[in-house]
Amino acid sequence: MKNTVLFFLFLVLLCNPVVLLAQTEPEQIKPETDQFQDYFFESLKQRGIENYDKAITALEECLKIKPNDVTVYFELGKNYFALKNYEQAYNSFEKATQIDPKNKWFWLGMYDVDYQTKNYNRAIIVVNKLIEFDEIYKEDLVSLYMNTQQFDKALVLINELNDKTGKSDRRELYKMQILSQGNYQNLEIANLIDQINKNPKEESNYVGLIRLYSGNNETEKALEITKKLEVEIPSSEWAQVGLFKYYLDNNEGQKAVNSMNMVLASTKMDSKIKHRILNEFLIFVDTNSQFAPDLEKAISYFDSDNEVDVAKEIGKYYHNKKQWNKAVQYYEQALKNNSDEDVETNLLLFQAYVETKQFDLLAKKATVMVENFPTQPQFYYFSGLANNQLKQFKKAKEMLEMGKDYLIDDVVLEINFNIQLGEAYNGLGNFKKKEFYFSKADQLLKNKK
């Protein structure tokens, strides 16, 4: 009876497999798609709170369910990148590109790794792929060529981009760096000649070519391009820069003046070029004095120059050449243009007054400077010297004795003070004091040697 019942139960169960399974399966079994989503969203949550290791663990579970899911590999790449595990990051991004090579972001992930690890040669391969998506990445390619010192490729690409999109400051800096190495200049010369032929009204190409020829001392070629520029663009100030030098070399003074004035009046010409032109004209005027009025007019263009006091610098030029009257003229102009109380310019002017024996003027101006700068011993010295020459010995003595109190570690000036004090006491008839100060000056001279 027991056996009959058991056999009957077995038959019932066989005929009812659903009931059997219901008794052995867990109640909560999810489809694989739901599990994938749970793991994937868990990875996003963990990455959001910067638990990158946990995010990676969740993504690895996703791969067990969907081994070729491109989004999972992309997310793995981002998490490995955040952990600075760059090799794994690159491999993950690369796997994503193998599955879906048409997604730009996967290639960008590889580029980010290469850039971070400074693997510029490999980055070039990736960026060339990115250019297929957007040509804007050619700018990155230029930088990569520069970083890998592939200057020939960089120069070709720079010129291509300049032609298509216009110049940029970064590319122009790169080009200057490349062209500073002479072996690339022929390539650039050929490019500029081609650009001039294509667009003869583009001034910058002439300027670049003139600079290259001038830098290589190919004067005739530079002049040829300068003249061509003047024909094509008569208003070009750059043409006048080249012509100015040509006119000076050929002693065509008035033409040089005309070109110079155009350049100096320009609001877009670099100040360094203006200063160079003025210096060259100054040297020319030194042997062609009939153009001195033009030099004075040229200086007036620099009245508002806050970087260089041009009149003062010209004064120094004549000072060094011991052309004292001209030095006086430009020092006085400098003080008039800027500040009457500029210490250095006044001291230079006072020395020029001494050399030109303008002692009355020196005495008056030195007294003013003493009042304005009561701790500057040089002004007392010049006042004493001038008054001695004017036979105002008492005034000279007073100024010199006051000034000596401010002397600090200046042996040469101390010697001169003692000489002038000796002169003052000699004029006053105090020969004992005279000998004292002359002797003191003599001893300082011996000690100095």
Side-chain angles (χ1 to χ4, degrees):
M1 181 68 178
K2 184 177 179 182
N3 289 338
T4 305
V5 171
L6 288 171
F7 179 74
F8 178 76
L9 181 60
F10 176 73
L11 287 176
V12 171
L13 291 173
L14 266 179
C15 296
N16 219 337
V18 174
V19 174
L20 183 64
L21 285 173
Q23 291 176 352
T24 58
E25 259 190 62
E27 292 183 0
Q28 299 297 325
I29 294 293
K30 292 188 176 181
E32 285 187 348
T33 52
D34 290 342
Q35 287 184 327
F36 178 89
Q37 287 180 2
D38 286 344
Y39 285 126
F40 188 78
F41 286 120
E42 176 66 15
S43 76
L44 295 180
K45 183 182 79 172
Q46 295 299 332
R47 185 162 74 87
I49 57 177
E50 299 183 3
N51 286 333
Y52 304 114
D53 286 320
K54 291 183 178 180
I56 290 169
T57 300
L59 289 166
E60 286 172 344
E61 293 297 325
C62 289
L63 284 180
K64 291 177 183 178
I65 300 168
K66 293 185 178 181
N68 288 314
D69 190 284
V70 71
T71 307
V72 173
Y73 282 108
F74 184 51
E75 286 296 317
L76 275 170
K78 290 192 283 186
N79 282 283
Y80 281 127
F81 189 86
L83 289 171
K84 298 184 179 179
N85 187 340
Y86 296 121
E87 184 178 356
Q88 287 281 61
Y90 189 88
N91 292 338
S92 299
F93 290 133
E94 186 176 36
K95 180 67 175 177
T97 63
Q98 291 167 355
I99 298 170
D100 181 6
K102 294 183 179 181
N103 190 310
K104 177 180 75 173
W105 296 103
F106 304 160
W107 294 99
L108 275 171
M110 293 167 68
Y111 181 33
D112 285 340
V113 174
D114 286 337
Y115 195 84
Q116 190 67 36
T117 57
K118 295 182 170 53
N119 192 339
Y120 299 128
N121 282 304
R122 191 171 67 178
I124 288 171
I125 299 169
V126 177
V127 169
N128 272 307
K129 188 67 181 179
L130 283 167
I131 289 169
E132 295 177 15
F133 296 98
D134 192 337
E135 290 207 342
I136 196 172
Y137 292 106
K138 285 186 176 181
E139 296 286 355
D140 293 72
L141 188 56
V142 171
S143 297
L144 291 169
Y145 282 146
M146 294 299 294
N147 283 325
T148 55
Q149 298 187 345
Q150 298 183 61
F151 298 129
D152 50 345
K153 292 181 179 179
L155 187 57
V156 169
L157 188 53
I158 287 168
N159 289 332
E160 177 193 324
L161 290 170
N162 285 350
D163 196 32
K164 286 184 178 179
T165 65
K167 296 178 180 178
S168 73
D169 290 342
R170 175 185 285 185
R171 276 186 258 121
E172 288 304 290
L173 283 172
Y174 283 154
K175 180 178 274 194
M176 286 174 62
Q177 183 182 337
I178 295 169
L179 296 182
S180 66
Q181 305 175 55
N183 50 322
Y184 293 100
Q185 290 185 2
N186 288 337
L187 186 63
E188 176 61 5
I189 286 170
N191 169 64
L192 288 169
I193 290 172
D194 181 57
Q195 292 298 318
I196 288 169
N197 291 335
K198 285 181 180 175
N199 187 1
K201 300 300 181 183
E202 176 54 53
E203 185 182 48
S204 62
N205 294 320
Y206 295 93
V207 174
L209 190 53
I210 291 166
R211 282 176 170 167
L212 283 175
Y213 282 143
S214 298
N216 294 333
N217 293 318
E218 296 181 84
T219 309
E220 290 300 319
K221 289 183 178 179
L223 178 61
E224 179 186 342
I225 298 301
T226 300
K227 289 181 175 178
K228 187 173 182 179
L229 170 58
E230 188 183 32
V231 170
E232 293 292 345
I233 311 175
S235 61
S236 171
E237 292 152 0
W238 280 102
Q240 300 308 316
V241 173
L243 291 171
F244 166 79
K245 180 63 175 171
Y246 171 75
Y247 292 141
L248 277 191
D249 291 343
N250 287 276
N251 207 33
E252 298 181 62
Q254 191 53 55
K255 289 183 178 179
V257 167
N258 294 339
S259 293
M260 175 182 69
N261 288 338
M262 281 186 66
V263 174
L264 296 184
S266 169
T267 56
K268 60 183 180 181
M269 194 65 64
D270 188 272
S271 62
K272 290 180 181 178
I273 293 172
K274 293 182 179 183
H275 287 139
R276 178 172 58 79
I277 282 179
L278 185 66
N279 288 337
E280 290 174 354
F281 190 63
L282 172 61
I283 296 167
F284 176 77
V285 170
D286 204 23
T287 54
N288 297 271
S289 57
Q290 67 271 30
F291 293 102
D294 296 294
L295 177 61
E296 291 179 31
K297 179 183 176 183
I299 293 170
S300 67
Y301 286 110
F302 296 89
D303 286 350
S304 59
D305 191 329
N306 295 321
E307 295 181 10
V308 180
D309 188 337
V310 172
K312 177 180 176 179
E313 294 306 312
I314 292 177
K316 286 182 178 180
Y317 171 81
Y318 285 122
H319 194 119
N320 292 332
K321 293 174 72 68
K322 301 187 186 307
Q323 296 184 30
W324 302 111
N325 285 316
K326 288 183 177 179
V328 165
Q329 174 189 343
Y330 289 105
Y331 288 145
E332 288 180 338
Q333 186 173 335
L335 290 168
K336 182 180 178 182
N337 291 344
N338 296 296
S339 171
D340 285 338
E341 296 185 355
D342 179 75
V343 170
E344 184 190 24
T345 307
N346 272 290
L347 290 173
L348 290 167
L349 174 61
F350 289 177
Q351 182 60 45
Y353 280 155
V354 171
E355 300 294 343
T356 54
K357 302 187 185 309
Q358 298 184 63
F359 298 114
D360 189 59
L361 195 53
L362 174 58
K364 291 176 182 176
K365 290 197 173 185
T367 299
V368 172
M369 294 305 290
V370 164
E371 293 171 357
N372 292 334
F373 297 93
T375 62
Q376 289 284 346
Q378 296 97 325
F379 295 130
Y380 292 93
Y381 165 73
F382 279 114
S383 177
L385 184 154
N387 280 295
N388 270 336
Q389 293 296 320
L390 296 169
K391 302 190 184 306
Q392 303 288 332
F393 301 116
K394 184 180 178 183
K395 178 75 177 292
K397 177 185 80 72
E398 291 172 354
M399 297 300 289
L400 291 162
E401 286 178 341
M402 282 192 291
K404 277 196 76 176
D405 292 338
Y406 301 106
L407 272 171
I408 300 173
D409 298 329
D410 190 336
V411 177
V412 173
L413 187 56
E414 187 177 356
I415 291 168
N416 288 331
F417 259 89
N418 284 301
I419 291 171
Q420 291 303 319
L421 276 165
E423 293 287 353
Y425 278 110
N426 182 58
L428 292 169
N430 189 334
F431 302 116
K432 186 177 179 181
K433 285 275 192 178
K434 163 196 163 183
E435 290 303 325
F436 171 78
Y437 284 110
F438 281 162
S439 175
K440 195 169 182 180
D442 187 54
Q443 189 59 48
L444 285 167
L445 274 169
K446 289 177 181 177
N447 292 341
K448 186 173 181 291
K449 293 176 182 178

